[in-house]
């Protein structure tokens, strides 16, 4: 059909969806390009898409020495020889990935293997890149020959712009991206996450499939539309689409019986057959409707997850790799929660800490009901987990992202600190995790005899500030400022402590208050979100435990 048709099996393509109208792309403005990519301006014109891809990829900043088409022509015969391309063994770094055919003809399918082997020869630093076969198969559709496809893929792999992440090329980068995706699911797909936790023994293993959904299972027309936007906007688009896929899976499959040993296969099958329920346009519409973290914030989260993996010594894929944690039953004992309940809590915490085991720091059964002893046993640990069982058999708690030692900055005054990773939750009588909110006006809170007014005052503060009004504040709530040398003025406040009380602004209008004697507590609840209260408005504490995270 055109000069880019060499590797395409047009009998398998929906030719009716292709437009023969002559189109040109003359704009260079990034904002306009984003809009055109999202709208699918070049999606129905095979030749135009090929030209757009060539233009976008040629503008990627690369290493000084990046292999080009001439390099491919020089090395392909030496590397491949006279071997049948269909029988060529693939390098280990593709991790036995699917090689999607994407309506390629026999020559195109063989070319995928040849290009992979030549890339392995030119990029010895690639150690893990399961998305590569899919990317090559897609770009062959829009290449005049193998050498041109090779050059385009090399430019993507050799991108040296630190702010422009494209394809993961190491196990550390891949695994941290899976952890980051798990963090994003936990925040933006809570209904789907709750389902995954209920039916899967290892929910993080399910989320480790997220790149396979995109680069392997999605039909050609879908991944091409995603790739259109990816080349303009970058890696964040992949997270968006994977979240949208999970949302649609939950919508379609909610209420249907699912088994833990088949959930991964169920999601893969849903993605493969997505055309039965969701169009490419609807998928992208859903993806861009998600109010995702900023690119900078996602980058910081990825860095934090990489650091956690490095500290655990997890940098390469092993034959029996299980970096994801299920709380070890033989080493865990709590008077408040079961192993199953602790595992549920573990599924909510940031992925980089889910690599750790729980460590009991304080319990009122052993250390007594003293706030000063609570502080002395909790300080020096970050993060911590607070568990409370009331005399009415209610069980609730809070994940606290910041060291309680931070409260000392306020002297004797009630000192507010913490990050947006804080949250409160309820386990009994029903399980509920409450989304985080910001305490914007700590001056409204007071100490001493006025502590009984905290609930009413902070409730109005919390409900009015669940979403930061200034976009520039969106980076700060999620990760601690000092971890990334951010200006102190960006730090938000979610925890408070003094010698008189503890306050945790947990989310969805929920706040938890504990008195100094650790015998009594109160909650505030804003009905804006129609959630059930954390627990009784006023309650007596039966047992309180504080847990840390052990490497």
């Amino acid at each position: 059909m055109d000069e880019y048709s060499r590797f395409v099996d047009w009998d398998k393509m929906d030719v009716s969806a292709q437009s023969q109208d002559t189109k040109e792309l003359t704009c260079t403005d990034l904002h306009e390009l984003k809009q055109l990519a999202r709208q699918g301006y070049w999606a129905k014109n095979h030749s135009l898409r090929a030209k757009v891809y060539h233009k976008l990829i040629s503008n990627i900043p690369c290493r000084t020495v990046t292999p080009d088409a001439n390099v491919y022509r020089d090395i392909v015969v030496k590397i491949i020889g006279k071997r049948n391309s269909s029988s060529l063994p693939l390098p280990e770094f593709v991790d036995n990935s699917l090689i999607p055919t994407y309506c390629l003809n026999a020559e195109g399918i063989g070319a995928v293997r040849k290009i992979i082997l030549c890339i392995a020869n030119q990029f010895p630093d690639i150690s893990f890149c399961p998305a590569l076969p899919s990317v090559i198969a897609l770009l062959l559709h829009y290449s005049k020959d193998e050498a041109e496809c090779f050059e385009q893929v090399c430019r993507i792999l050799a991108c040296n712009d630190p702010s422009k992440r494209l394809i993961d090329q190491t196990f550390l980068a891949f695994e941290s991206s899976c952890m980051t995706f798990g963090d994003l699911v936990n925040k933006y797909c809570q209904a789907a996450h709750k389902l995954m936790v209920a039916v899967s023994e290892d929910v993080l293993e399910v989320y480790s499939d997220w790149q396979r959904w995109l680069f392997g299972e999605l039909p050609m027309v879908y991944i091409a539309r995603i790739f259109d936007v990816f080349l303009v906007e970058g890696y964040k688009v992949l997270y968006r689409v994977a979240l949208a896929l999970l949302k649609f899976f939950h919508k379609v499959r909610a209420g249907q019986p699912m088994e833990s040993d088949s959930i991964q296969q169920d999601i893969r099958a849903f993605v493969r057959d997505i055309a039965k329920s969701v169009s490419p346009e609807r998928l992208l519409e859903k993806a861009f409707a998600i109010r995702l973290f900023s690119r900078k914030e996602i980058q910081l989260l990825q860095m934090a997850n990489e650091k956690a993996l490095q500290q655990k010594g997890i940098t390469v894929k092993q034959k029996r790799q299980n970096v994801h944690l299920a709380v070890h039953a033989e080493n865990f004992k709590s008077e408040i929660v079961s192993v199953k309940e602790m595992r549920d809590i573990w599924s909510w915490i940031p992925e980089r800490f889910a690599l750790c085991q729980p460590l009991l720091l304080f319990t009122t059964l052993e250390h007594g009901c003293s706030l000063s002893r609570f502080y002395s046993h909790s300080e020096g640990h970050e993060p911590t987990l607070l568990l409370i069982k009331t005399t009415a058999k209610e069980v609730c708690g809070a994940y606290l992202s910041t060291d309680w030692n931070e409260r000392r900055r306020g002297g004797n005054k009630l000192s507010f600190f913490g990050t947006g990773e804080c949250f409160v939750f309820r386990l009994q009588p029903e399980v509920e995790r409450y989304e985080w909110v910001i305490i914007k006006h700590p001056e409204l809170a007071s100490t001493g005899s006025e502590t009984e007014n905290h609930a009413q005052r902070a409730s109005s503060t919390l409900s009015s500030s669940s979403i930061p009004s200034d976009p520039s504040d969106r980076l700060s709530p999620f990760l601690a400022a000092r971890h990334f040398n951010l200006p102190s003025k960006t730090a938000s406040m979610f925890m408070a402590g003094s010698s008189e009380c503890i306050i945790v602004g947990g989310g969805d209008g929920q706040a938890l208050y504990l008195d100094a004697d650790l015998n009594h507590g109160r909650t505030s609840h804003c009905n804006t979100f129609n959630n059930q209260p954390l627990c009784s408005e006023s309650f007596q504490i039966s047992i309180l435990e504080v847990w840390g995270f052990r490497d």
Side-chain angles (χ1 to χ4, degrees):
M1 293 180 68
D2 58 42
E3 59 184 328
Y4 300 99
S5 301
R6 175 176 172 179
F7 303 107
V8 182
D9 186 342
W10 287 104
D11 292 335
K12 297 178 181 178
M13 294 282 285
D14 183 5
V15 182
S16 63
Q18 292 293 310
S19 170
Q20 299 305 312
D21 295 341
T22 302
K23 284 184 176 181
E24 295 294 335
L25 184 70
T26 58
C27 79
T28 57
D29 178 71
L30 179 60
H31 179 74
E32 187 177 353
L33 272 174
K34 286 173 63 173
Q35 294 304 314
L36 292 175
R38 293 186 183 190
Q39 294 165 9
Y41 178 81
W42 52 80
K44 293 186 178 181
N45 189 305
H46 190 265
S47 178
L48 177 61
R49 178 180 262 158
K51 294 174 182 176
V52 171
Y53 280 10
H54 181 79
K55 179 178 180 180
L56 293 175
I57 293 173
S58 65
N59 288 332
I60 293 175
C62 295
R63 305 170 192 167
T64 304
V65 180
T66 298
D68 60 12
N70 290 328
V71 171
Y72 182 82
R73 297 185 184 101
D74 289 340
I75 66 174
V76 64
V77 175
K78 300 174 185 176
I79 294 174
I80 307 303
K82 296 182 179 180
R83 291 180 291 174
N84 187 328
S85 58
S86 63
S87 63
L88 293 173
L90 294 179
E92 289 187 5
F93 66 65
V94 300
D95 194 41
N96 297 317
S97 298
L98 300 173
I99 298 186
T101 58
Y102 288 155
C103 303
L104 293 172
N105 56 28
E107 183 183 6
I109 294 172
V112 175
R113 289 179 175 268
K114 292 164 66 177
I115 295 172
I116 290 175
L117 288 173
C118 288
I119 285 175
N121 175 267
Q122 293 295 301
F123 289 84
D125 52 336
I126 295 180
S127 59
F128 197 79
C129 192
L132 187 60
S134 176
V135 173
I136 294 173
L138 177 63
L139 288 177
L140 273 171
H141 268 264
Y142 307 102
S143 302
K144 296 177 182 177
D145 55 30
E146 294 173 12
E148 183 177 273
C149 180
F150 171 84
E151 178 173 327
Q152 292 194 80
V153 176
C154 287
R155 291 194 65 83
I156 292 173
L157 293 172
C159 175
N160 62 358
D161 183 349
S163 65
K164 192 178 184 70
R165 182 178 181 187
L166 293 177
I167 297 179
D168 296 330
Q169 300 173 44
T170 66
F171 181 73
L172 179 62
F174 173 83
E175 193 65 30
S176 63
S177 76
C178 296
M179 293 169 66
T180 301
F181 179 70
D183 286 325
L184 297 176
V185 173
N186 203 353
K187 177 165 179 60
Y188 294 104
C189 303
Q190 292 189 17
H193 182 65
K194 190 173 183 178
L195 175 65
M196 296 300 111
V197 172
V199 302
S200 175
E201 293 183 2
D202 188 350
V203 67
L204 301 181
E205 184 177 343
V206 175
Y207 297 153
S208 290
D209 246 9
W210 80 278
Q211 288 197 27
R212 175 174 175 150
W213 304 341
L214 305 178
F215 297 109
E217 304 293 357
L218 271 178
M220 159 75 185
V221 64
Y222 289 78
I223 188 59
R225 284 296 308 276
I226 294 164
F227 209 75
D228 292 346
V229 189
F230 167 73
L231 286 178
V232 177
E233 300 188 39
Y235 201 90
K236 183 177 176 180
V237 171
L238 305 182
Y239 283 134
R240 284 188 176 280
V241 176
L243 290 170
L245 286 171
L246 200 58
K247 283 177 175 286
F248 278 121
F249 174 79
H250 175 259
K251 181 179 180 180
V252 171
R253 295 297 305 272
Q256 298 181 22
M258 283 184 282
E259 300 295 333
S260 62
D261 58 353
S262 66
I263 186 65
Q264 280 182 290
Q265 297 302 325
D266 287 348
I267 298 177
R268 291 174 184 177
F270 170 79
V271 175
R272 281 195 300 272
D273 298 330
I274 193 170
K276 296 178 180 178
S277 54
V278 183
S279 68
E281 292 75 22
R282 181 74 184 99
L283 178 63
L284 286 175
E285 180 183 336
K286 185 77 166 179
F288 287 105
I290 300 171
R291 295 187 60 180
L292 204 59
F293 292 140
S294 69
R295 183 176 287 103
K296 177 67 171 177
E297 194 166 38
I298 291 176
Q299 184 181 12
L300 294 177
L301 181 57
Q302 182 94 13
M303 288 166 51
N305 286 331
E306 283 192 9
K307 183 178 180 181
L309 287 167
Q310 287 174 321
Q311 290 174 341
K312 290 285 184 181
I314 302 169
T315 58
V316 296
K317 186 177 177 70
Q318 301 167 0
K319 290 185 178 180
R320 190 179 182 276
Q321 183 69 42
N322 183 18
V323 303
H324 307 311
L325 174 77
V327 177
H328 296 168
E330 63 274 15
N331 297 325
F332 177 77
K333 179 171 173 43
S334 168
E335 299 299 328
I336 299 179
V337 298
S338 65
V339 172
K340 169 63 170 62
E341 289 171 324
M342 196 60 147
R343 285 174 175 164
D344 287 343
I345 297 171
W346 235 244
S347 73
W348 298 331
I349 66 175
E351 301 287 0
R352 61 190 184 279
F353 297 116
L355 298 171
C356 304
Q357 285 282 349
L359 173 67
L360 184 62
L361 303 176
F362 173 88
T363 170
T364 51
L365 292 179
E366 179 180 346
H367 303 105
C369 299
S370 166
L371 187 55
S372 62
R373 283 197 289 273
F374 170 96
Y375 286 138
S376 67
H377 284 269
S378 301
E379 288 176 358
H381 295 271
E382 182 179 289
T384 54
L385 190 68
L386 176 68
L387 298 177
I388 297 171
K389 184 175 184 178
T390 72
T391 54
K393 308 299 183 183
E394 299 166 308
V395 175
C396 62
Y399 171 80
L400 305 170
S401 66
T402 306
D403 191 337
W404 279 106
N405 193 51
E406 289 289 305
R407 67 188 172 82
R408 298 181 182 275
R409 293 188 177 188
N412 294 325
K413 296 180 180 179
L414 188 64
S415 176
F416 284 77
F417 50 97
T419 75
E421 286 185 317
C422 293
F423 62 85
V424 293
F425 56 87
R426 183 186 67 223
L427 294 176
Q428 297 289 347
E430 295 178 354
V431 176
E432 185 72 52
R433 174 183 180 272
Y434 299 94
E435 187 60 17
W436 63 262
V437 296
I438 301 172
I439 302 174
K440 276 196 170 181
H441 305 290
E443 67 274 8
L444 295 180
S446 58
T447 58
S449 61
E450 292 187 54
T451 55
E452 294 185 3
N453 296 323
H454 283 325
Q456 180 178 355
R457 291 176 175 177
S459 176
S460 62
T461 302
L462 292 167
S463 63
S464 67
S465 59
S466 58
I467 299 176
S469 57
D470 182 356
S472 66
D473 291 339
R474 291 180 60 199
L475 170 65
S476 61
F478 192 64
L479 297 168
R482 67 182 183 282
H483 289 172
F484 302 99
N485 298 317
L486 301 176
S488 59
K489 67 179 181 180
T490 64
S492 298
M493 291 158 284
F494 301 81
M495 305 161 53
S498 71
S499 59
E500 302 291 335
C501 68
I502 287 173
I503 304 175
V504 179
D508 285 359
Q510 302 285 349
L512 179 65
Y513 305 81
L514 303 181
D515 292 338
D517 60 8
L518 296 185
N519 279 318
H520 300 86
R522 292 176 298 286
T523 61
S524 70
H525 173 62
C526 171
N527 291 321
T528 305
F529 300 91
N530 297 317
N531 281 324
Q532 294 297 314
L534 183 62
C535 60
S536 301
E537 185 174 348
S538 178
F539 58 86
Q540 285 191 308
I541 298 173
S542 173
I543 308 171
L544 182 149
E545 294 176 349
V546 178
W547 291 80
F549 294 75
R550 181 180 61 213
D551 290 338

